[in-house]
Amino acid sequence: KAGVTQTPRYLIKTRGQQVTLSCSPISGHRSVSWYQQTPGQGLQFLFEYFSETQRNKGNFPGRFSGRQFSNSRSEMNVSTLELGDSALYLCASSLGPADTQYFGPGTRLTVL
Amino acid sequence: QQQVKQSPQSLIVQKGGISIINCAYENTAFDYFPWYQQFPGKGPALLIAIRPDVSEKKEGRFTISFNKSAKQFSLHIMDSQPGDSATYFCAASGRDTGGFKTIFGAGTRLFVKA
């Protein structure tokens, strides 16, 4: 069974731009969570989607948004990029909200 | 906000030694405690997990010890190898206000000296 895939793997943007990251969960998984990882900050929870509905949201500004499609694939969008948004963005999928999360390789976003 | 406190932040162990990482959680409703291993440039990978109905779970060189009354759990890596050098995250998940949640510890960077 294929794992969680994230595209693109690397991205370079400039301040003020917006970016869209994509996540394809493991087949059969209906829950997708997004995390931001920066050096020394661990895994910061962004949001979780299940059956196309946002179930939980972390403490991030409204510039960070996401959605989930009927095939469980998910996208997250960051608008008006800031230098501090440079991070590894990880997607994790699970069968349901209470199940084990499996992570993708992440998208490395660099904001110049 | 519910937290999972993980210590130490970093750890250096000699090859063949025992690596011990500790975590403490707050929400007694949490009922699933996984550990993840992350190598540079990769996403975290599930290493081993435990539920509170047992006090210990062993898989190869990796053991989770769980103390429900103290709300603490730890990862022990026996016979640590240089290939174990990575960042380790503990997590706690279960029902919380607003639904099911998984909360991660801040991570421990392990370096095993050859």
Side-chain angles (χ1 to χ4, degrees):
Chain A
K1 190 181 271 191
V4 178
T5 58
Q6 291 187 246
T7 57
R9 292 293 315 278
Y10 302 92
L11 207 50
I12 299 176
K13 293 285 187 179
T14 57
R15 280 183 300 173
Q17 287 187 310
Q18 74 166 15
V19 65
T20 298
L21 312 181
S22 180
C23 171
S24 292
I26 293 170
S27 177
H29 286 195
R30 295 170 60 195
S31 181
V32 173
S33 298
W34 288 89
Y35 296 86
Q36 181 194 66
Q37 185 176 33
T38 54
Q41 293 296 315
L43 295 164
Q44 303 296 312
F45 173 72
L46 281 156
F47 24 65
E48 178 200 4
Y49 288 88
F50 178 71
S51 294
E52 302 179 66
T53 301
Q54 187 179 90
R55 294 300 182 106
N56 280 306
K57 189 176 189 303
N59 295 325
F60 278 82
R63 300 185 297 108
F64 292 81
S65 63
R67 59 178 176 169
Q68 186 180 35
F69 303 95
S70 59
N71 61 358
S72 295
R73 190 176 70 84
S74 178
E75 288 181 347
M76 68 163 282
N77 183 276
V78 188
S79 62
T80 317
L81 284 166
E82 301 177 359
L83 294 178
D85 296 334
S86 294
L88 180 67
Y89 290 88
L90 291 160
C91 164
S93 80
S94 57
L95 284 169
D99 297 305
T100 301
Q101 295 186 17
Y102 296 90
F103 285 85
T107 294
R108 172 73 62 186
L109 171 65
T110 301
V111 182
L112 302 176
Chain B
Q1 184 177 349
Q2 297 285 350
Q3 289 186 354
V4 174
K5 296 181 180 180
Q6 183 172 346
S7 63
Q9 190 174 11
S10 61
L11 183 61
I12 300 175
V13 174
Q14 287 288 139
K15 178 182 176 182
I18 302 174
S19 303
I20 302 174
I21 304 171
N22 301 298
C23 285
Y25 64 100
E26 298 177 353
N27 188 341
T28 55
F30 285 166
D31 60 0
Y32 181 65
F33 303 89
W35 284 88
Y36 289 85
Q37 178 189 56
Q38 184 179 28
F39 293 105
K42 306 286 187 181
L46 180 67
L47 188 63
I48 186 173
I50 196 169
R51 293 196 181 272
D53 53 341
V54 295
S55 60
E56 186 175 282
K57 182 175 181 180
K58 184 176 181 179
E59 289 184 1
R61 297 184 294 108
F62 300 92
T63 299
I64 299 179
S65 296
F66 186 83
N67 185 328
K68 187 175 181 179
S69 61
K71 294 187 286 185
Q72 295 175 348
F73 57 110
S74 59
L75 175 69
H76 294 234
I77 306 174
M78 313 300 287
D79 187 27
S80 298
Q81 299 297 311
D84 297 329
S85 298
T87 299
Y88 293 81
F89 293 95
C90 64
S93 65
R95 186 172 289 279
D96 194 2
T97 54
F100 285 97
K101 288 183 180 178
T102 297
I103 300 176
F104 286 85
T108 296
R109 295 186 67 177
L110 170 66
F111 179 69
V112 181
K113 295 171 64 174

